[in-house]
């Protein structure tokens, strides 16, 4: 890369339990800078995964992307995060977000004011990690703490960065005000990253972590074919902010409206769109795309393995390093 950019890889949420630790160790050995775990409803817990990965590796920085604010008590979240930061100093990043609305609805945690909840959560957890006493009993709409504070023995020497996992314009602006960085879900094109950074308008140094489905192969067509099925979700309404800055945004929406299913939409997407919406191609092509993300302002690029063999894909992805 011509500009500073950390290159990471995502631990697939549905990887077999016997592959979780080998995947992490292989990513560490191959030289990836970061490994990110997810906390999606019905899969594995983010903090438990992060702890296991940190314990089995020696160098990787591990990110949690992201913990839903609606289901994590701020004080107990701070305790868990502080523990990781003490045991593995300088190696943990934590994303906190709204959580997918349907998931929050299904567990009885959906709130009519998700922005306010996320702001209160980020501010409270951040203060607790710095060893401060937090009392929001009179001011908090969602986070209600009465003189909550970590014991001095549990306060990390260096609090880990808290990043907001968000995508809407008001949420991005909130991230710029109160978070140490932003986690941008896939697909992250340079156009989307630039627009997001404009909306973030950070008031202090701010990390920008980008996710993208990825596959590296000497045959570009084979790489595009591999990532295509993983893009079927991005035609849904929640992904509109990612597509609005693109020159083919209107054509994209029109094609989705013509398709009866996500799978049909993924099959009919032109290769040119697939190439723009994923990090797929030859090592040289993918390195060029990573340079473009760095030039747009991204500080981390997280590659999401595609295909049926995530562990086996690590070696091909590592060809971009």
């Amino acid at each position: 890369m011509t500009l500073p950019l950390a290159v990471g890889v995502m631990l697939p949420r549905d990887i077999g339990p016997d592959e979780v630790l080998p995947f992490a160790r292989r990513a560490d050995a191959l030289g990836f800078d970061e490994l990110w775990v997810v906390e999606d409803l019905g899969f594995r817990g983010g903090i438990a995964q992060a702890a296991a990965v940190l314990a089995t590796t020696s160098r990787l920085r591990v990110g949690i992307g992201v913990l839903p604010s609606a289901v994590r008590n701020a004080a107990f979240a701070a305790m868990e995060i502080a523990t990781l930061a003490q045991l593995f100093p300088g190696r943990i990043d934590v994303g906190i977000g709204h959580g997918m609305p349907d998931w929050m609805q299904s567990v009885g945690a959906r709130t009519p004011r998700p922005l306010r909840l996320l702001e209160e959560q980020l501010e409270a957890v951040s203060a607790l990690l710095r060893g401060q006493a937090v009392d929001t009993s009179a001011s908090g709409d969602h986070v209600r703490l009465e003189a909550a504070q970590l014991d001095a023995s549990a306060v990390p020497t260096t609090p880990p960065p808290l990043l907001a996992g968000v995508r809407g314009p008001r949420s991005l602006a909130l991230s710029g005000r109160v978070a140490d960085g932003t986690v941008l879900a896939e697909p992250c094109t340079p156009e989307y990253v630039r627009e997001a950074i404009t909306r973030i308008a950070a008031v202090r140094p701010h990390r920008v972590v980008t996710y993208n489905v990825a596959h590296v192969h000497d045959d570009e067509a084979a790489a595009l074919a591999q990532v295509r099925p993983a893009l079927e979700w991005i035609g849904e309404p929640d992904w509109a902010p990612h597509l609005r800055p693109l020159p083919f945004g209107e054509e994209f929406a029109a094609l989705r409206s013509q398709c009866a299913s996500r799978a049909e939409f993924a099959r009919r997407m032109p290769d040119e769109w697939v190439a723009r919406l994923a990090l797929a191609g030859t090592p040289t092509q993918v390195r060029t795309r990573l340079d473009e993300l760095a030039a747009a302002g991204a500080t981390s690029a997280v590659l999401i393995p595609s295909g049926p063999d995530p562990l086996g894909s690590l070696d091909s992805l590592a060809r971009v390093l």
Side-chain angles (χ1 to χ4, degrees), residues 3-311:
L3 294 173
L5 182 74
V7 179
V9 66
M10 181 179 289
L11 178 69
R13 65 183 186 178
D14 58 352
I15 192 171
D18 58 333
E19 292 186 319
V20 170
L21 300 185
F23 185 99
R25 288 192 289 264
R26 186 61 182 157
D28 197 22
L30 287 169
F32 285 99
D33 300 305
E34 302 174 353
L35 185 143
W36 284 74
V37 302
V38 298
E39 181 165 275
D40 287 351
L41 182 62
F43 292 87
R44 298 185 179 102
I47 290 172
Q49 289 182 93
V53 168
L54 285 161
T56 199
T57 58
S58 59
R59 181 192 52 81
L60 275 174
R61 193 175 183 97
V62 177
I64 303 175
V66 298
L67 302 176
S69 58
V71 295
R72 290 280 183 176
N73 176 278
F76 283 90
M79 290 165 55
E80 299 277 14
I81 295 166
T83 301
L84 292 177
Q86 284 191 319
L87 295 177
F88 308 99
R91 293 183 58 205
I92 183 74
D93 297 306
V94 179
I96 301 177
H98 300 302
M100 297 295 286
D102 290 348
W103 295 348
M104 298 303 99
Q105 181 72 33
S106 72
V107 298
R110 189 163 183 176
T111 172
R113 300 184 65 194
L115 277 172
R116 179 61 178 159
L117 168 58
L118 182 58
E119 182 172 14
E120 291 184 1
Q121 182 88 343
L122 286 166
E123 290 179 338
V125 173
S126 178
L128 290 166
L129 291 173
R130 296 193 301 270
Q132 298 175 7
V134 178
D135 193 320
T136 61
S137 55
S139 60
D141 295 324
H142 301 278
V143 176
R144 299 292 183 88
L145 301 176
E146 295 184 11
Q149 188 173 16
L150 294 179
D151 186 84
S153 66
V155 177
T157 302
T158 303
L162 297 183
L163 295 80
V166 292
R167 70 173 110 225
R170 291 189 299 162
S171 298
L172 290 170
L174 169 64
S175 181
R177 291 196 306 274
V178 303
D180 301 308
T182 303
V183 179
L184 299 176
E186 71 281 3
C188 283
T189 62
E191 295 92 339
Y192 173 58
V193 171
R194 281 192 289 268
E195 180 172 291
I197 289 173
T198 298
R199 294 186 182 280
I200 290 168
V203 297
R204 61 178 189 268
H206 195 91
R207 293 182 57 201
V208 178
V209 178
T210 60
Y211 288 174
N212 275 299
V213 177
H215 191 73
V216 178
H217 197 283
D218 288 330
D219 182 348
E220 180 188 9
L224 296 178
Q226 184 69 70
V227 299
R228 180 182 290 274
L231 296 175
E232 67 174 26
W233 291 93
I234 66 174
E236 304 310 300
D238 283 340
W239 278 260
H242 300 253
L243 305 166
R244 185 176 48 246
L246 300 176
F248 53 82
E250 292 184 6
E251 296 174 78
F252 184 98
L255 176 61
R256 180 63 185 94
S257 68
Q258 298 166 15
C259 297
S261 67
R262 292 189 295 265
E264 178 190 353
F265 169 70
R267 288 195 304 269
R268 292 178 57 184
M269 272 197 295
D271 280 349
E272 293 79 7
W273 296 4
V274 176
R276 200 64 185 156
L277 296 167
L279 295 176
T282 67
T284 298
Q285 288 172 321
V286 175
R287 278 194 290 266
T288 297
R289 292 291 313 285
L290 291 171
D291 284 342
E292 292 172 354
L293 286 172
T299 57
S300 295
V302 180
L303 312 182
I304 304 173
S306 57
D309 183 14
L311 183 57

